[in-house]
Amino acid sequence: MANRDNNKDWDFYLRTLSYSARDSNSANDPASDPSLLQSVKKLYELCKAENSEDLVARVYPPVNKLYQRAVASLSQSRTSNGLLLLAILQFYLDFGEMVLHDADPSLRTFFRSCLSREFSDPVVAEATLDFLNVNKKKLLISFPTLLPQFFPLLLKLIAWNGEKLEKSFLKVFPGLMSPGSFLPLFPSLVDLPILVVALEKVERSPGSLIGNSIASIQKSTAPEMLLALMDEAYTGSTIGDGGGDSESEDSNTIDAADTLFLDLLKDENDGLAERHWTSPGMATALQAAINTPQSNRLKQILKLTPRILDVYFAITLRDVNNSLICALIPLLMSRNATVFPEKSFSYEIRKRLLEFMLAAFQRSPDFIALLKKPIMDRLGQAYDSPAKTELALQLCWAIGEHGGGGGSHKDEARELFESLELLLYENLSTSRLGLRQDSALSSDSETFRKSTQSRLLCFVVTAIAKLATHHRELLPRARVSLGKVARSRISDGRVWRRARDYLGLMNEPAICLSVLGPSRPSCGYTQNPGTVNWSAGGTKMIAHIPFYILGEQEGPPFHDFSFSDILPRR
């Protein structure tokens, strides 16, 4: 009896699909008939329950024809096709092998032709992420390049729909990362707020964002119109069309076109494109975003982007090979100074960029030697902006902490040492100039500048001392450099006192190696910073402890000192 009822059910739903093909309205716009979606879902459930190849073979032809009609009607349809196509794609994924149907072209057609038009529909967006999560394992195994290829489109989806889809998106996100998408994905994540600004500009232009606005722009056969529309979407800068009569408000030409906008609004990954943040269009878009109240959507993406970056960096440190990580670090350095100019957002993004960079250097100190050239370039830009100063500070710390890449990279360490020397001497000269001009300059900005300069000098002095401790052949030059700082008596006493302390440490090899030496040397044992290997007293000088480093006391201690004060009790 149950089998007879099931036969009636699937026969009814098959007739519904066949009738829709003959009906002129349904044939031209299948999504306009809600019974078709219901029929496809019911047929899928019956095939799943019966597990019959005969039933699947009978259901497949009308379902496949319905998919082709729905795809063909996308450009003219006024109804959302996303849910119908997703239901058919689920049928393809589960039963494609039985009917020898390759789902790959169908999946790509859905992304290119449907989701590119309907990503801003919240129902379609949520259903798409649910579909990807349900089939995540199958997609990653059978179609490993699908999600990495369309990651720009999925970023548009989350940029537009915001925090309500965050959990679903973060579950899908690891699938977006592959060797081919890893590097292009990073700038796209950092630029999510700019993407929101662009999409909102498109929304405010004539016509709806849902349907064909962006898709038709991207598929335009006229490149000049394509660039003009993109520029209008980002900058809102239009001038009247100089030729002929104008039939509508959107028949305007753009004063200047910028390929940057086309790159940001693309749907597919086409490699790592250079983004010109100094372009007039970008400057205009950023200025407009700063001067206008933030939309709720922009506020959400400003909070969401750092959390997505956290996942990106966690996956990178866990799964990505060293070659790609090494290639990412220069890109990270260049983007450190070019992020969306919102105070809290820029702080959170830069904090994560620097933390990841230091974690990468900790994992693979060789990166410092391999990336010698971009590191030296960033040290030379230390005073261009506060963001570049902070990057230079962290690079100085990494150079010193990891010995310029390790003991096997002596040539690279020497070149990095020379860059630190140059930075030190440049700072010393400007510090002396500032000392002479103290009476004339007393503004808050000057105070901040001097404080930043002193902080940078402290980092440079420490890096020079640590690098010389790693590479003993650099000790004579380090003593000369630190001696100049110690004798300079610049306005900030922290700097010259630190240089003097390091000079004192260098006269005590065992203690110097303990305090400034590598935490994981290549000599076979681990030397934790801040501990003294007293067992080496037979071969190294460990007497004459420089008491002035204890509590920053100068000269002899003010109390009786004994080794029991610093040695742990047994």
Side-chain angles (χ1 to χ4, degrees), residues 171-339:
K171 292 178 182 178
V172 173
F173 183 77
L176 274 58
M177 298 179 65
S178 73
S181 66
F182 173 70
L183 292 177
L185 182 57
F186 169 71
S188 297
L189 292 177
V190 176
D191 289 339
L192 279 175
I194 301 294
L195 178 59
V196 169
V197 172
L199 294 174
E200 290 181 337
K201 290 287 186 181
V202 174
E203 183 192 33
R204 289 193 290 269
S205 64
S208 171
L209 187 62
I210 300 176
N212 58 10
S213 295
I214 296 178
S216 62
I217 290 172
Q218 290 178 328
K219 298 179 188 304
S220 170
T221 56
E224 63 278 4
M225 180 58 68
L226 170 66
L227 294 175
L229 288 171
M230 286 300 175
D231 192 71
E232 181 179 9
Y234 271 85
T235 67
S237 56
T238 61
I239 58 174
D241 187 4
D245 296 331
S246 178
E247 298 181 357
S248 64
E249 293 180 0
D250 56 353
S251 60
N252 293 329
T253 58
I254 309 303
D255 187 27
D258 196 322
T259 55
L260 168 69
F261 306 137
L262 175 61
D263 176 64
L264 285 170
L265 283 178
K266 65 187 179 183
D267 289 330
E268 298 183 42
N269 172 28
D270 54 8
L272 186 62
E274 182 180 2
R275 296 187 172 180
H276 300 278
W277 273 72
T278 58
S279 65
M282 177 60 78
T284 304
L286 291 177
Q287 192 61 42
I290 295 171
N291 294 336
T292 56
Q294 292 179 0
S295 66
N296 184 56
R297 186 174 288 111
L298 181 57
K299 291 178 181 178
Q300 288 189 41
I301 207 64
L302 290 173
K303 297 178 182 178
L304 181 57
T305 300
R307 299 198 287 267
I308 300 177
L309 267 181
D310 285 338
V311 178
Y312 175 83
F313 286 142
I315 295 173
T316 299
L317 291 173
R318 186 188 67 211
D319 298 332
V320 177
N321 63 56
N322 282 350
S323 298
L324 286 174
I325 295 178
C326 190
L328 174 65
I329 293 176
L331 181 61
L332 181 150
M333 293 179 187
S334 67
R335 290 309 310 269
N336 182 68
T338 52
V339 296

Side-chain angles (χ1 to χ4, degrees), residues 513-539:
L513 183 63
S514 168
V515 177
L516 300 177
S519 57
R520 50 181 205 177
S522 57
C523 52
Y525 65 90
T526 299
Q527 176 73 48
N528 295 319
T531 62
V532 178
N533 185 12
W534 296 103
S535 63
T539 57

Side-chain angles (χ1 to χ4, degrees), residues 125-126 129-130 132-133 136 158 163-174:
E126 184 174 5
L129 291 178
D130 290 342
L132 295 177
N133 277 311
K136 180 167 56 177
I158 188 63
E163 291 178 315
K164 61 179 177 290
L165 297 182
E166 177 183 357
K167 291 183 178 179
S168 297
F169 177 78
L170 289 180
K171 292 178 182 178
V172 173
F173 183 77

Side-chain angles (χ1 to χ4, degrees), residues 366-388:
D366 288 353
F367 286 168
I368 296 175
L370 294 173
L371 300 173
K372 172 194 63 179
K373 180 61 168 63
I375 290 175
M376 292 167 60
D377 290 343
R378 302 304 164 186
L379 293 179
Q381 301 170 5
Y383 286 114
D384 289 1
S385 68
K388 292 184 178 181

Side-chain angles (χ1 to χ4, degrees), residues 7-8 10-22:
N7 289 337
K8 290 181 179 179
W10 62 256
D11 191 51
F12 168 76
Y13 295 126
L14 284 176
R15 286 200 305 272
T16 301
L17 298 185
S18 299
Y19 174 77
S20 71
R22 295 190 296 270

Side-chain angles (χ1 to χ4, degrees), residues 5 8 33 58 74 137 153 181 247 250 273 283 306 338 377 397 401 418-419 431 435 455 464 473 484 502 542 560 565:
D5 290 340
K8 290 181 179 179
D33 185 355
R58 187 167 181 181
L74 281 170
K137 185 175 181 180
L153 180 55
S181 66
E247 298 181 357
D250 56 353
T338 52
D377 290 343
W397 184 91
E401 176 66 16
E418 291 171 353
S419 293
S431 294
L435 184 62
R455 184 166 172 251
I464 286 176
E473 67 277 6
K484 290 183 178 181
Y502 289 150
I542 59 173
D560 291 335
D565 293 335

